[in-house]
Amino acid sequence: MTEQRPPLPPFTRDTAIQKVRAAEDGWNGQNPTKVAQAYTPDTIWRNRAEFPVGRLEVIEFLTRKWQNEYEYRLIKELWAFEDTRIAVRFAYEWHDSDKNWFRSYGNENWEFAANGLMHRRHASINDLAISGSERKFYWPIGPRPVDHPGLSELGL
């Protein structure tokens, strides 16, 4: 049986928003193996200065990432879409092992295979040091509650 991850391209505004929220929820779950299943087996990434290729390298990358980014909470927002591509902007908050807090801002460009799995992911990310009192993402670890404001509502 062929893997599928609905919604499938070509995307409408509604299905693109569904895809973005599914990605956000998956990443907030912080399970590298589960997250990697949303990508094609031969997925190609650029994340900052790292270039993982294939699910195994994605799992290794995400494992390292979440071992160093404590109390990780992410919000993604649709920026644009067309046919098999989606562009998002995002922000996530986390702290390092010394309890220094950061808000990381970024943009991602995604390209999907016909089966709805992401084949390409290109991410550009910048980190901003923040104080604990500047945090805006306070939900329990895991998916963002449906009633929690998004990036636009938070002025980010």
Side-chain angles (χ1 to χ4, degrees), residues 34-104:
K34 187 174 178 182
V35 170
Q37 296 309 303
Y39 300 90
T40 60
D42 61 344
T43 190
I44 300 166
W45 283 27
R46 179 184 54 74
N47 194 95
R48 299 179 192 251
E50 291 192 57
F51 300 86
V53 175
R55 285 182 179 161
L56 182 60
E57 289 185 18
V58 165
I59 290 168
E60 292 168 353
F61 168 82
L62 292 172
T63 299
R64 281 192 319 275
K65 171 184 178 58
W66 289 321
Q67 285 173 344
N68 295 307
E69 294 178 353
Y70 302 94
E71 297 192 54
Y72 176 94
R73 290 172 181 87
L74 164 74
I75 299 177
K76 292 183 182 281
E77 184 175 279
L78 177 67
W79 187 254
F81 70 95
E82 181 180 84
D83 298 324
T84 62
R85 294 180 175 174
I86 295 175
V88 300
R89 67 188 197 96
F90 63 88
Y92 61 92
E93 294 180 347
W94 58 282
H95 69 78
D96 62 18
S97 58
D98 294 325
K99 298 281 188 185
N100 297 305
W101 280 95
F102 298 89
R103 185 175 303 122
S104 300

Side-chain angles (χ1 to χ4, degrees), residues 125-138:
I125 306 166
N126 298 298
D127 301 319
L128 173 68
I130 61 172
S131 67
S133 64
E134 293 175 285
R135 292 177 54 211
K136 295 180 183 262
F137 305 172
Y138 284 103

